[in-house]
Amino acid sequence: SHIVTVGESVETGNAMAHVWSYLPQGTPDGTGYVANLMRTFELEPIAKARVDMAEEVGAFAISGQTQTGAKIWIGEARSRGIELAIPTEFNHEMSVDSLPTALTFSPDGKTLVTAHENDTVFLWDAQKGEKTQQLIYTVPSPPRSTFDGAVTFSADGSLVAMIDSSAIYLWEANTGELLNTITLTNEEGTNIWGNTHSLAISNHNQWVVSDAGHSGKVYFW
């Protein structure tokens, strides 16, 4: 029922995050929806923004590169009433050593996972804004040339998976134990490095599914 958008203010040049309610209008055919601006948040100017939302707990997270370094913000999406004129405060603002290239909330909204350009993956307590764990992995040889991946939780929150341009990595969320590293090769044994940008875990944690970039295929692992 909420949408979060991030854009640049034409008045100040700063970045603004807007929280919108997105609700049915009650039209006879059931297709009409209306978006109402509920809250605004002001940020430093940022580049390469990433956004995710945990609707169940009414929270959202934004990451990006500012003039003073890479940062992560966590805010409250659930409306406290319409606050159009006055920008409101984020719950947490965290500085990080490297730009997050992917982030996502756990299904219960209590944990945030972030994957960074410098080959680090972190778990955060989303309610406290505190780093709780680093997920360790080793990039298969030969190493990838660029990082442009994705992270996800399993539906029950027990697993965390990340994909980069070399492999898929699978961890146990509670312990941080690396369960598997799946090197990205196709059915002929040829590598598909550099072409994968998204993944998901099946509901029963049996499969990880990923795209294969320009090949036009989807792979089940």
Side-chain angles (χ1 to χ4, degrees):
S1 61
H2 289 89
I3 302 169
V4 176
T5 60
V6 179
E8 181 179 299
S9 168
V10 295
E11 296 179 353
T12 67
N14 288 344
M16 302 293 294
H18 299 288
V19 178
W20 310 77
S21 68
Y22 189 61
L23 299 171
Q25 283 184 306
T27 54
D29 60 2
T31 60
Y33 285 81
V34 60
N36 293 314
L37 179 60
M38 306 301 290
R39 305 185 72 191
T40 61
F41 298 80
E42 189 168 5
L43 305 89
E44 302 172 60
I46 61 173
K48 299 182 179 180
R50 299 288 188 271
V51 183
D52 191 46
M53 176 176 286
E55 184 71 41
E56 289 298 319
V57 297
F60 67 95
I62 299 170
S63 67
Q65 183 70 45
T66 75
Q67 294 178 347
T68 57
K71 292 187 177 181
I72 300 169
W73 296 267
I74 297 178
E76 187 175 337
R78 192 168 292 153
S79 174
R80 295 174 180 165
I82 298 176
E83 302 169 351
L84 301 184
I86 304 174
T88 49
E89 297 286 330
F90 285 98
N91 294 348
H92 305 290
E93 180 179 317
M94 300 95 76
S95 295
V96 289
D97 294 333
S98 178
L99 177 68
T101 58
L103 58 81
T104 192
F105 281 99
S106 61
D108 62 7
K110 295 180 179 179
T111 303
L112 181 72
V113 60
T114 58
H116 301 254
E117 284 184 332
N118 65 349
D119 295 341
T120 54
V121 180
F122 296 109
L123 296 181
W124 303 80
D125 184 318
Q127 296 172 322
K128 297 180 179 178
E130 297 175 354
K131 190 184 301 178
T132 60
Q133 193 166 189
Q134 180 175 353
L135 301 180
I136 304 298
Y137 68 103
T138 301
V139 178
S141 181
R144 63 175 181 268
S145 58
T146 59
F147 181 91
D148 184 12
V151 289
T152 189
F153 279 90
S154 59
D156 61 5
S158 66
L159 302 176
V160 178
M162 182 189 75
I163 191 169
D164 61 21
S165 56
S166 292
I168 296 170
Y169 312 90
L170 191 67
W171 295 271
E172 188 175 71
N174 288 338
T175 65
E177 178 186 358
L178 181 64
L179 302 176
N180 206 348
T181 298
I182 305 169
T183 302
L184 298 176
T185 55
N186 63 18
E187 56 270 31
E188 288 82 29
T190 304
N191 75 66
I192 51 174
W193 297 325
N195 294 324
T196 52
H197 306 290
S198 58
L199 81 166
I201 301 173
S202 64
N203 282 348
H204 299 292
N205 299 344
Q206 181 180 4
W207 300 93
V208 177
V209 61
S210 74
D211 74 306
H214 304 302
S215 72
K217 296 181 179 180
V218 173
Y219 285 98
F220 286 80
W221 309 88

